[in-house]
Amino acid sequence: MTKLLHIPENHALRFSLHNEIHARPPVSLKLPASASHLALTLSEEEKAQEYEHLKALCSRFAVNPPPKEASHFTATFDTFLFHWEQHGEFSTYCFYVNTVDINKPFAKPALAYAPMDWLDKLIGKSIVAAHAVIMPTSEQVPSTTEISSYFEGNAIVGSQVTGGDATAFTDFRIHNDGFSRFLIFDKQLLSQQAGRLLQRLFEVEVYRVMSLLAFPVAQELAPLVSKAEQRLSKITTDMAQHDCNDGLLLDQLTRLAAEVESHISHSQFRFGAAHAYHKIVNQRIADIREVKIQGVQTIGEFLGKRLQPAITTCQSTSKRFSLLSERISNASQLLRTRVDISIERQNQALLTSMDLRVKMQLRFQETVEGLSIVAITSYIVSLLNSAAKALNSAELIDIKPEIVSGVAIPIVLILVAIGVRRLHKKIKAE
């Protein structure tokens, strides 16, 4: 008996993170097989309704429904195999059956085996709908003309996939029934291998369409970013003029920055999602390991020529907005520096003016203080003169008041000046 070793307490997310690598496994198929794939976009409110609708399907066939927090579910319902996955922006429904009409492979798709009344009430809006058929093939692969007849005569793209174990074809068009089509000729596919191949082909279809949701946004924003670039160019040109109004230009630049940041915030998620979806498309194309068939474009070549320009447009528009935001930031910083320098100059001139006024006030004060010393001296001498007259009138002292006043003037003047100066020193010391 193996002794269990003690380990520290588990992290709350240990098991969910560990098992994430096993999430959304491909189904194992018995060949030949037919499949129908639906991808529906949903809001957060619709996701709750979706779970109830999924429970209704399980209840109809007496199958245990998935847990409410589940993001994927696989079960067999009588005549068809069902696989459901919930993603951030969309959910996928895939139906598999083992009944295939080799002469008319798309005449009765797998979706026809699901309850029609339940399908009519599916929650969300269809973004992708596709049928796929895996049918056996002889040693000689059918000609492109024969294969094109399964796609209503459209030009087809395809290749040998999974190392040559199968050959896959599609036309990347929506047919009259509202579905796109994939036709796979089985050479020596295994059950798990067939499930992985179908899953990857369906994911190529879903994620390429989801990545293109950003393309209309880029087309809408392209003229706006061009106008914003022109406005910024005009503002920077005006900034170079000597007689420009920096305050007015700063207001215009601030409004432009707010508009650009608003566009970036509204489109950032869509452009970021497009980049992520496009990476998944490229990864899934690499996963199917295409080998070129002479005279037929591979799926990777076709999407590289048709999908890449749209993705490049989205990336270019996003990058233009990012660069424009940086340029606006640089121009704003330069303009604010100029405004700050202008304000500093005004403040310096104001301080110089205030310093001059203070000096003038000081000089005026010194003049007034000089006059006040004279006034105080005059007042004291006047008092001494009055006192001398009083003493002379009382015949207490025989002295002339005029002499007293004359002698007292310089003495009193000096004493008053000394007193005022000491007062100034005391005030400065405090």
Side-chain angles (χ1 to χ4, degrees):
M1 182 176 180
T2 303
K3 183 179 179 180
L4 295 178
L5 299 177
H6 176 74
I7 61 174
E9 182 181 355
N10 290 315
H11 188 281
L13 299 176
R14 179 194 173 195
F15 292 102
S16 62
L17 295 177
H18 179 83
N19 295 327
E20 182 62 27
I21 197 171
H22 303 291
R24 310 178 193 278
V27 298
S28 180
L29 297 177
K30 181 181 177 182
L31 302 178
S34 176
S36 295
H37 190 83
L38 299 174
L40 309 176
T41 58
L42 302 99
S43 64
E44 290 299 323
E45 295 77 13
E46 288 174 329
K47 287 182 179 180
Q49 302 174 28
E50 178 189 37
Y51 178 74
E52 295 300 323
H53 194 55
L54 190 60
K55 281 178 60 179
L57 178 65
C58 294
S59 176
R60 175 178 296 197
F61 291 94
V63 173
N64 292 328
K68 192 168 185 178
E69 66 277 5
S71 59
H72 60 91
F73 173 66
T74 303
T76 300
F77 296 124
D78 288 352
T79 57
F80 65 93
L81 178 64
F82 175 75
H83 183 72
W84 165 82
E85 291 185 6
Q86 188 179 80
H87 300 264
E89 292 188 89
F90 61 93
S91 290
T92 59
Y93 297 79
C94 202
F95 305 83
Y96 302 90
V97 295
N98 301 120
T99 303
V100 176
D101 185 345
I102 297 178
N103 297 318
K104 296 180 180 180
F106 297 104
K108 188 176 182 181
L111 197 64
Y113 292 85
M116 289 297 106
D117 58 330
W118 183 83
L119 290 173
D120 290 339
K121 297 177 182 178
L122 278 175
I123 309 300
K125 296 181 179 179
S126 298
I127 191 72
V128 168
H131 294 314
V133 174
I134 301 179
M135 54 191 291
T137 183
S138 58
E139 292 295 328
Q140 184 177 1
V141 178
S143 66
T144 55
T145 303
E146 292 179 88
I147 296 171
S148 179
S149 65
Y150 296 119
F151 296 92
E152 300 177 356
N154 297 324
I156 58 172
V157 297
S159 59
Q160 295 182 33
V161 293
T162 63
D165 290 338
T167 309
F169 298 94
T170 183
D171 60 354
F172 285 112
R173 294 182 182 275
I174 298 177
H175 292 261
N176 294 331
D177 58 358
F179 287 75
S180 55
R181 295 177 180 178
F182 290 94
L183 182 61
I184 298 102
F185 291 98
D186 170 31
K187 290 184 179 180
Q188 47 186 6
L189 286 173
L190 302 177
S191 297
Q192 286 279 350
Q193 197 177 19
R196 286 196 299 271
L197 176 60
L198 279 183
Q199 184 183 48
R200 287 164 181 169
L201 290 175
F202 285 143
E203 286 180 349
V204 167
E205 183 75 350
V206 172
Y207 286 115
R208 79 169 181 88
V209 175
M210 292 299 297
S211 67
L212 286 174
L213 284 176
F215 187 55
V217 178
Q219 290 178 312
E220 180 183 350
L221 292 179
L224 298 179
V225 71
S226 297
K227 290 180 181 179
E229 289 170 340
Q230 293 173 2
R231 288 169 60 186
L232 178 60
S233 178
K234 183 178 183 305
I235 292 173
T236 53
T237 301
D238 292 342
M239 285 171 57
Q241 306 300 320
H242 294 292
D243 57 346
C244 66
N245 186 335
D246 290 343
L248 179 61
L249 291 178
L250 187 58
D251 288 341
Q252 294 176 358
L253 204 57
T254 302
R255 285 196 297 271
L256 179 59
E259 292 176 13
V260 170
E261 292 301 323
S262 175
H263 291 314
I264 291 176
S265 63
H266 283 89
S267 61
Q268 185 177 23
F269 170 78
R270 192 73 274 154
F271 287 143
H275 177 70
Y277 291 145
H278 185 240
K279 286 185 66 176
I280 295 176
V281 171
N282 290 334
Q283 183 60 53
R284 295 299 180 267
I285 291 174
D287 289 341
I288 64 177
R289 294 179 294 153
E290 288 189 285
V291 177
K292 186 174 178 61
I293 299 173
Q294 185 64 33
V296 180
Q297 270 191 315
T298 66
I299 295 173
E301 289 174 341
F302 180 85
L303 291 181
K305 293 180 180 179
R306 305 300 176 90
L307 178 61
Q308 188 60 49
I311 298 300
T312 302
T313 299
C314 298
Q315 293 172 345
S316 173
T317 302
S318 177
K319 188 173 182 180
R320 285 176 68 188
F321 266 114
S322 298
L323 292 176
L324 180 60
S325 178
E326 292 179 9
R327 289 170 56 198
I328 291 174
S329 178
N330 293 337
S332 298
Q333 187 175 1
L334 176 62
L335 196 53
R336 286 192 181 94
T337 302
R338 285 177 48 172
V339 170
D340 290 342
I341 292 174
S342 177
I343 292 174
E344 287 291 335
R345 288 174 178 171
Q346 293 176 5
N347 290 340
Q348 187 65 37
L350 180 61
L351 290 173
T352 302
S353 175
M354 291 175 62
D355 184 55
L356 180 60
R357 285 198 295 270
V358 168
K359 287 181 179 179
M360 292 177 64
Q361 288 177 348
L362 182 59
R363 290 178 183 177
F364 180 72
Q365 184 178 351
E366 290 174 350
T367 302
V368 171
E369 287 176 354
L371 294 175
S372 65
I373 291 173
V374 173
I376 293 171
T377 301
S378 175
Y379 180 71
I380 294 174
V381 170
S382 177
L383 290 177
L384 292 175
N385 183 270
S386 298
K389 285 182 179 181
L391 292 173
N392 193 28
S393 298
E395 297 180 352
L396 297 175
I397 297 176
D398 185 12
I399 190 172
K400 293 183 178 181
E402 293 82 1
I403 295 174
V404 173
S405 298
V407 173
I409 286 174
I411 298 172
V412 172
L413 187 62
I414 292 170
L415 293 174
V416 171
I418 292 172
V420 171
R421 187 172 182 179
R422 286 183 176 178
L423 182 61
H424 280 176
K425 287 183 177 181
K426 186 176 181 181
I427 292 174
K428 287 182 179 180
E430 292 179 355

